[in-house]
């Protein structure tokens, strides 16, 4: 690391110019070949997955996104002549807009299904010429403008669907900007220097920017999910600012100790820089552990996030030393520079202050602090026992959005189940199969939990053949939560098509549940249909009936990810154990780390359960009604949280290990580790909390859950686990912390976070910050 640091420092303007050229080149490449997002979700081996495959084989997906215009009258009926004339004119105008392929309304012959039973609500289907991710927001905005212009006293008009929700989303750049401003304030307080504050921000922005721009070429070789840029920015900004913070802190410490700027930069990269590489590697490997889940949707989130983290690490170890070379001693405040010139010790380097007193108290009263810290973690984790995975529908969109209003209008007019119909996709091969299917269709209406069975001829069955859980929740009118389901669900109906490949017919029957899509009763209905109702009518025949549709897909998705979660846990926890065992030559330290990481994960989901599922925080932040936690969130949160927790553990324990190697005194090692790292770890945690919390402002339920879960976990990790539980437990364990069987020690490879002893510069007296 010292050679790289010295090269970047001495050729600082070359490095800065190279980074600027790289960003410009990636921006041009991204503009020439924009990112092609793939939000499809296929679950092989599940009922919904089989239904999707049958639908795709019988009626391939439409080329364009399917959205809806919904209207309701306060008095009279939507079929009254004045209303019909006004709405028909509006629908005709929408049909002529750019990017609109067709509009199908309830006023056409056979369109009666588009009018509610009480006659007060109606809807029309708008088919665009392209998928929502590829539509220009200006084209979608024109549709919204024309549709809402038809409003009149007593006539409400709203719109729902993926394209509509996408146009209403708060740009992720807004949340990023808020997070950056919050991080800048924290850094300014921590450093007392505007220039020092700017270094981590510039480095993180360069790293995250390059990572996000690389998603365009990446999407040409693998599926990249539509929310990957948001998650990449969230993770990248958090770790990018933190990594640069650790290096800058070490550099400033060297300057205050009297080193010249180049020597201080080389020393910072050779110590903190190694820890950054180690920590960044653990984050990347934890994210790559998501590939064990085996779902393309999650792969399309994990790999782009890894690319972003790699870019932030590269920026921290190349661009940052170049920037340090440009600023020289000006990374210190004027007061600190005067103190260095006068040979005065800096007060922040003395073992005094609140942190010094706290870090001495924890080991002294370890027997008290250990159970207290554990009690806090368990109390925060308690709600996880009631965690329910599922998805949030459009009722959880901000109340002022078109998608939320359209969802409510459809639920009021057509029933809550209209927003999440179930599709019974059947494959018939003989007259006996068709007779059995007819009996099943007649029996469905009497099944508890079924509100209606739609048998009128319909259209677009294949529109249910793909789904996107990142913003789950579409209605029969395609209304979406957060805005990115990959297709709308079909309108009511039974359709048949000749599956020429097999000689069998594919028939689709739409079942409207009596409850909303996210209601547990709807999941129970899916289980009832699959477990008892369908088998009762298909037994003894060649008839195959699968329960599909978006609601069933998300239900299956939660089940699939839940079943694979233990394997992910074994992978990331086992890897972490081996890595720490090799790095610190200990069995107890990696074991304690594994337990604490699991506790942090439990606490994170405890907060998510209370905040979103119980609704303790959703109303306050405009995130809708209480609802289950997104089904794909556990894997993502666990992977990222594991990596971040390993970061803090590495920075903390590496300082303890350094002191242990010099003194062989466990008590002194624990005290030195906590004293020297507590301040910077908590500052880094505050930055991450600010960045993660800022993403709640996107208004997207899934992103908000990710941000809140990680913010809560980081807060608990930094302020309870690393500054209370870890030092208390290690104090109680004594020399056992550093024990490794000799036979195992001889067989393990040697991996150290700190540079080899021969390469380490002279130690600076006084507490270190990293």
């Amino acid at each position: 690391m010292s050679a790289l640091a010295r090269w970047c420092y001495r050729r600082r303007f070359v490095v800065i110019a190279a980074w600027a050229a790289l960003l410009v080149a990636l921006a041009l490449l991204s503009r020439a070949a924009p990112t092609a997002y793939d939000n499809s979700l296929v679950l092989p081996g599940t009922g919904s997955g089989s239904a999707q495959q049958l639908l795709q084989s019988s009626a391939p997906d439409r080329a364009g996104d399917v959205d809806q215009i919904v209207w309701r009258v306060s008095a009279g009926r939507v079929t009254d002549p004045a209303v019909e004339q006004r709405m028909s004119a509006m629908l005709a105008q929408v049909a002529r807009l750019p990017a609109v392929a067709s509009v199908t309304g309830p006023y056409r012959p056979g369109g009666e299904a588009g009018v509610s039973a009480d006659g007060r609500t109606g809807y029309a289907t708008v088919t665009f010429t392209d998928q929502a991710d590829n539509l220009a927001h200006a084209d979608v905005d024109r549709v919204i403008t024309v549709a809402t212009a038809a409003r009149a006293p007593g006539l409400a008009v709203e719109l729902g669907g993926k394209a509509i929700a996408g146009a209403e989303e708060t740009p992720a750049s807004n949340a990023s900007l808020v997070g950056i401003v919050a991080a800048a304030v924290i850094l300014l307080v921590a450093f007392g220097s505007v220039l020092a504050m700017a270094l981590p921000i510039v480095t993180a922005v360069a790293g995250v920017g390059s990572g996000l721009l690389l998603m365009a070429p990446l999407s040409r070789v693998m599926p990249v999910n539509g929310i990957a840029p948001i998650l990449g920015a969230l993770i990248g900004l958090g770790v990018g600012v933190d990594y640069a913070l650790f290096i800058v802190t070490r550099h400033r410490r060297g300057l205050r100790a009297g080193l010249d700027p180049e020597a201080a930069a080389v020393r910072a990269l050779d110590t903190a820089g190694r820890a950054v590489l180690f920590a960044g590697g653990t984050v990347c490997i934890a994210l790559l552990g998501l590939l064990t889940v085996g779902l393309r949707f999650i792969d399309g989130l994990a790999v782009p996030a890894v690319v972003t983290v790699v870019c932030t690490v590269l920026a921290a170890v190349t661009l940052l030393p170049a920037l340090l070379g440009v600023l020289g001693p000006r990374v210190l405040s004027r007061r600190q520079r005067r103190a260095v010139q006068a040979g005065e010790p800096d007060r922040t380097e003395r073992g005094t202050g609140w942190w010094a007193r706290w870090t001495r108290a924890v080991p002294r009263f370890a027997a008290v602090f250990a159970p207290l810290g554990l009690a806090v973690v368990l109390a925060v984790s308690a709600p996880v026992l009631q965690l329910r995975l599922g998805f949030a529908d459009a009722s959880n969109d901000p109340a002022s959005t078109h998608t939320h209003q359209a969802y409510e209008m459809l639920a009021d007019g057509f029933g809550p189940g209209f927003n999440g119909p179930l599709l019974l996709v059947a494959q018939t091969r003989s007259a006996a199969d068709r007779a059995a299917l007819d009996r099943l269709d007649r029996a469905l209406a009497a099944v508890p939990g079924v509100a209606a069975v739609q048998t009128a001829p319909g259209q677009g069955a294949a529109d249910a053949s793909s789904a996107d859980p990142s913003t789950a929740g579409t209605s029969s009118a395609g209304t979406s939560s957060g805005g990115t389901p990959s297709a709308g669900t079909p309108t009511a109906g039974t359709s048949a098509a000749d599956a020429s490949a097999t000689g069998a017919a594919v028939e689709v029957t739409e079942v409207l549940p009596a409850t909303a899509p996210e209601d547990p009763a709807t999941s129970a209905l899916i289980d009832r249909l699959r477990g008892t109702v369908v088998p009762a009518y298909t037994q003894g025949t060649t008839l195959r009936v699968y329960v599909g549709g978006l609601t069933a897909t998300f239900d299956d998705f939660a089940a699939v990810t839940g079943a694979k979660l233990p394997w992910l846990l074994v992978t990331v926890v086992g890897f972490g154990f081996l890595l720490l065992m090799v790095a610190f030559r200990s069995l107890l330290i990696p074991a304690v780390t594994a337990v604490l990481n699991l506790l942090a994960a439990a606490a994170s989901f405890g907060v998510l359960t209370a905040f979103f599922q119980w609704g303790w925080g959703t109303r306050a932040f405009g995130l809708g009604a209480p609802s289950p936690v997104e089904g794909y969130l556990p894997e993502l949160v666990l992977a990222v949280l594991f990596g971040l927790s390993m970061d803090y553990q590495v920075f903390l324990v590496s300082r303890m290990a350094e002191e242990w190697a010099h003194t062989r005194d466990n008590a002194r090692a624990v005290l030195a580790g906590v004293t020297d790292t507590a301040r910077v770890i908590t500052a880094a945690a505050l930055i991450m909390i600010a960045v993660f919390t800022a993403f709640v402002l996107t208004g997207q339920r899934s992103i908000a859950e990710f941000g809140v879960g990680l913010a809560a976990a980081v807060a608990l990790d930094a302020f309870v686990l690393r500054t209370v539980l870890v030092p208390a437990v290690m104090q109680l364990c004594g020399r056992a912390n550093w024990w490794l069987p000799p036979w195992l020690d001889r067989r393990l490879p040697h991996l150290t976070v700190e540079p080899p002893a021969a390469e380490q510069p002279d130690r600076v007296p006084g507490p270190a910050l990293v």
Side-chain angles (χ1 to χ4, degrees), residues 11 50 139 141 170 173 180 205 252 378 488 513 543 564 610 640 688 699 731 769:
R11 295 166 177 80
S50 299
D139 291 334
D141 288 338
T170 302
S173 57
I180 289 172
V205 169
R252 283 162 51 89
L378 292 177
L543 176 64
K564 295 185 177 181
V640 176
M688 280 201 179
Q731 178 70 23
L769 288 181

Side-chain angles (χ1 to χ4, degrees), residues 48 391 393 416-423 464 467 473-476 489 513 515-519 522-523 526 530 547-557:
S48 61
F391 67 97
D393 56 34
F418 192 82
N419 286 300
L422 304 177
L423 303 180
T474 52
S475 68
S476 143
T489 50
T515 50
E518 65 180 30
D519 196 302
T522 304
S523 296
I526 295 172
R530 289 173 172 170
V547 180
L550 288 176
T551 303
T553 297
F554 294 128
D555 202 62
D556 288 343
F557 184 70

Side-chain angles (χ1 to χ4, degrees), residues 194-547:
V194 174
L195 292 177
M197 171 270 291
L199 285 173
I201 299 296
V202 172
T203 304
V205 169
V208 171
S210 58
L212 296 183
L213 290 172
L214 280 170
M215 290 188 188
L218 180 65
S219 68
R220 304 295 169 173
V221 297
M222 66 166 293
V224 173
N225 192 275
I227 63 171
I230 301 178
L231 292 181
L234 187 153
I235 298 169
L237 281 177
V239 300
V241 173
D242 274 12
Y243 292 164
L245 167 65
F246 291 131
I247 294 174
V248 172
T249 300
R250 192 78 175 221
H251 176 70
R252 283 162 51 89
R253 173 188 161 204
L255 291 176
R256 290 196 299 268
L259 296 177
D260 66 81
E262 181 177 346
V266 171
R267 179 178 186 178
L269 264 292
D270 207 28
T271 52
R274 288 173 179 265
V276 164
L277 286 176
F278 190 93
T282 60
V283 173
C284 292
I285 294 174
L287 286 169
L288 290 175
L290 291 170
L291 300 182
T292 62
V293 177
L295 295 177
R296 291 174 69 245
F297 173 83
I298 292 181
D299 295 349
L301 293 173
V303 176
V306 168
V307 171
T308 305
V309 172
V310 169
C311 289
T312 60
V313 171
L314 290 176
V317 299
T318 58
L319 178 61
L320 182 55
L323 295 174
L324 293 175
V326 172
L327 295 182
R330 288 174 294 170
V331 294
L332 297 178
S333 66
R334 288 189 179 92
R335 179 185 60 80
Q336 290 170 330
R337 293 201 298 271
R338 287 195 298 268
V340 171
Q341 291 172 355
E344 299 174 1
D346 191 89
R347 292 182 179 181
T348 59
E349 289 297 308
R350 298 174 182 172
T352 60
W354 187 89
W355 271 119
R357 292 193 296 272
W358 172 258
T359 53
R360 283 194 292 268
V362 171
R364 183 178 179 184
F365 301 103
V368 175
F369 279 107
L372 282 178
L374 184 60
V376 170
V377 176
L378 292 177
V380 176
S381 305
V384 77
L385 298 176
Q386 298 185 35
L387 173 66
R388 185 166 71 89
L389 299 179
F391 67 97
D393 56 34
S395 64
N396 300 111
D397 288 353
S400 60
T401 59
H402 293 300
T403 53
H404 176 90
Q405 306 258 3
Y407 180 99
E408 296 298 334
M409 288 167 63
L410 289 167
D412 291 342
F414 297 90
F418 192 82
N419 286 300
L422 304 177
L423 303 180
L424 268 63
V425 184
Q427 186 177 50
T428 59
R429 300 176 180 275
S430 63
D433 288 348
R434 285 188 286 274
L437 182 59
D438 289 341
R439 292 193 297 272
L440 173 61
D441 287 343
R442 289 193 296 270
L444 287 172
V447 175
V450 173
V453 179
Q454 301 287 357
T455 58
Q459 62 180 353
D463 289 340
S465 63
S466 60
D468 175 12
S470 65
T471 50
T474 52
S475 68
S476 143
T479 306
S480 67
S481 166
T484 56
S486 54
T489 50
T491 54
T494 300
S495 62
D498 178 40
S500 58
T502 61
V506 176
E507 303 187 15
V508 182
T509 300
E510 188 177 86
V511 176
L512 299 183
T515 50
E518 65 180 30
D519 196 302
T522 304
S523 296
L525 174 60
I526 295 172
D527 294 338
R528 187 180 305 116
L529 291 174
R530 289 173 172 170
T532 59
V533 177
V534 170
Y537 290 90
T538 59
Q539 188 173 7
T541 70
T542 58
L543 176 64
R544 297 292 179 266
V545 180
Y546 305 100
V547 180

Side-chain angles (χ1 to χ4, degrees), residues 668-741:
R668 182 170 177 176
V670 172
L671 180 61
V674 181
T675 303
D676 292 0
T677 61
R679 184 179 177 184
V680 72
I681 284 178
T682 51
L686 287 174
I687 291 171
M688 280 201 179
I689 292 168
V691 171
F692 293 154
T693 304
F695 279 79
V696 176
L697 302 178
T698 62
Q700 296 188 51
R701 179 70 171 244
S702 58
I703 300 299
E705 289 184 5
F706 195 76
V708 169
L710 286 181
V714 168
L716 191 74
D717 194 289
F719 295 103
V720 178
L721 298 184
R722 308 304 160 191
T723 56
V724 178
L725 270 177
V726 169
V729 171
M730 291 188 69
Q731 178 70 23
L732 294 174
C733 293
R735 298 177 64 88
N737 291 313
W738 313 102
W739 180 79
L740 186 70

